[in-house]
């Protein structure tokens, strides 16, 4: 087993940004965790190939949760590589597949009602971004404690940022892929965008849960890899 960070640099609203999707190699199979924004397929393909891997070996995509920066390019991946199996938690699967209106969209529409005028244009744009996401059926739904990827990876329920958010624990690598349950900020693990968490109290509990697992490496979608050294949390 191996985890490969895929650092993706881009500009958003005139500012430089980065995301860090994870690629898991297990035997001859590749699993991508989250797919970036809409239009990011060629960027992620280039990064995977730059690491010496073939896209034809991409077998699975695991989605930590429904947000436009995590599932934006999912439909493009599925269209180009139709054999890929899509994996998500049962709750997030209903939003990704379009069975239910996503709680993120419900939240955005509600926030727009009281948003200051100077921010309304962005709020309307964000709502349109969510509405433009293409729905994709989920091949496998998972829950807390489930073992996947040939029983080498355990699903960890980490709700709060969204209700069905999951993280991934790989014991053989003493590593956790956090999604947005934890981000690396100022040399610490922190909650991602607390003002947009669907349930901030749950998000706080999930962050504590991940820290208490005392993994050596935390692969954060925002901020990159974070390593614990000699019992203390320290970024690398």
């Amino acid at each position: 087993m191996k985890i490969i960070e895929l650092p993706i640099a881009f500009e958003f609203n005139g500012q430089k940004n980065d995301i860090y999707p994870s690629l898991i190699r297990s035997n001859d199979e590749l699993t991508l965790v989250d797919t970036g924004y809409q239009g990011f397929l060629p960027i992620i393909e280039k990064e995977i190939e730059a690491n010496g891997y073939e896209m034809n070996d991409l077998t699975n995509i695991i989605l930590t949760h429904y947000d436009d920066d995590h599932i934006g390019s999912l439909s493009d991946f599925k269209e180009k590589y139709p054999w890929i199996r899509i994996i998500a938690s049962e709750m997030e699967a209903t939003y990704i597949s379009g069975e239910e209106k996503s709680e993120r969209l419900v939240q955005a529409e509600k926030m727009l009602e009281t948003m200051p005028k100077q921010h309304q244009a962005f709020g309307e744009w964000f709502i349109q971004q969510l509405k433009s996401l293409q729905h994709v059926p989920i091949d496998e739904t998972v829950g807390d404690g489930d073992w996947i990827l040939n029983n080498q990876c355990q699903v960890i329920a980490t709700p709060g940022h969204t209700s069905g958010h999951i993280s991934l624990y790989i014991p053989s690598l003493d590593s956790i892929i956090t999604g947005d349950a934890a981000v690396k900020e100022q040399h610490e693990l922190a909650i991602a965008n607390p003002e947009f968490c669907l349930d901030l109290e749950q998000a706080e509990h999930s962050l504590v849960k991940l820290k208490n697992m005392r993994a050596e490496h935390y692969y954060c979608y925002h901020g990159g890899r974070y390593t614990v050294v000699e019992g203390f949390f320290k970024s690398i």
Side-chain angles (χ1 to χ4, degrees), residues 6 8 25 71 78 143-144 149 155 159 165 167 206 209 214 219 229:
L6 303 176
I8 308 297
R25 180 182 62 78
I71 71 164
K78 189 65 174 179
D144 189 37
L149 306 184
V155 176
H165 190 290
S167 301
S206 290
K209 179 180 181 178
R214 296 294 177 184
Y219 288 82
V229 179

Side-chain angles (χ1 to χ4, degrees), residues 13-151:
N13 204 20
Q15 295 183 340
K16 292 183 178 180
N17 285 270
D18 299 276
I19 58 172
Y20 296 84
S22 294
L23 186 70
I24 302 171
R25 180 182 62 78
S26 176
N27 299 324
D28 294 327
E29 294 184 352
L30 299 175
T31 298
L32 177 66
V33 184
D34 295 329
T35 68
Y37 286 101
Q38 294 181 64
F40 274 33
L41 169 62
I43 304 173
I44 294 176
E45 284 178 322
K46 183 177 179 181
E47 192 64 31
I48 290 173
E49 291 168 349
N51 278 277
Y53 298 103
E54 299 289 337
M55 293 303 299
N56 286 339
D57 293 329
L58 187 60
T59 305
N60 308 293
I61 290 178
I62 301 174
L63 302 166
T64 59
H65 66 291
Y66 182 105
D67 257 333
D68 63 332
D69 59 332
H70 291 256
I71 71 164
S73 289
L74 177 62
S75 60
D76 291 337
F77 272 95
K78 189 65 174 179
E79 181 177 354
K80 188 169 183 179
Y81 308 105
W83 62 83
I84 294 175
R85 288 180 52 79
I86 311 299
I87 303 169
S89 73
E90 186 173 356
M91 182 173 291
E92 300 295 317
T94 64
Y95 307 138
I96 298 165
S97 64
E99 295 174 40
E100 294 185 28
K101 184 177 183 178
S102 79
E103 57 183 356
R104 184 65 77 204
L105 179 55
V106 172
Q107 178 197 46
E109 290 176 337
K110 186 175 181 180
M111 291 179 70
L112 184 63
E113 295 174 1
T114 57
M115 192 172 286
K117 286 187 177 180
Q118 64 268 29
H119 300 309
Q120 285 185 357
F122 174 80
E124 291 171 353
W125 173 85
F126 183 62
I127 288 170
Q128 289 306 311
Q129 283 290 106
L130 293 175
K131 288 183 175 180
S132 68
L133 293 174
Q134 298 295 309
H135 300 306
V136 177
I138 301 301
D139 298 300
E140 180 181 353
T141 58
V142 294
D144 189 37
D146 287 351
W147 289 91
I148 57 175
L149 306 184
N150 297 315
N151 293 321

Side-chain angles (χ1 to χ4, degrees), residues 199-218:
D199 188 319
L200 184 55
E201 185 176 353
Q202 275 195 332
E204 291 168 347
H205 286 311
S206 290
L207 179 61
V208 171
K209 179 180 181 178
L210 292 181
K211 285 185 175 183
N212 284 344
M213 292 179 69
R214 296 294 177 184
E216 182 178 2
H217 305 290
Y218 291 80

Side-chain angles (χ1 to χ4, degrees), residues 1 3 24 152-154 168-175 177:
M1 292 283 283
I3 301 173
I24 302 171
Q152 298 180 86
C153 175
Q154 187 177 35
L168 304 171
Y169 173 49
I170 301 177
S172 65
L173 302 176
D174 200 6
S175 297
I177 299 173

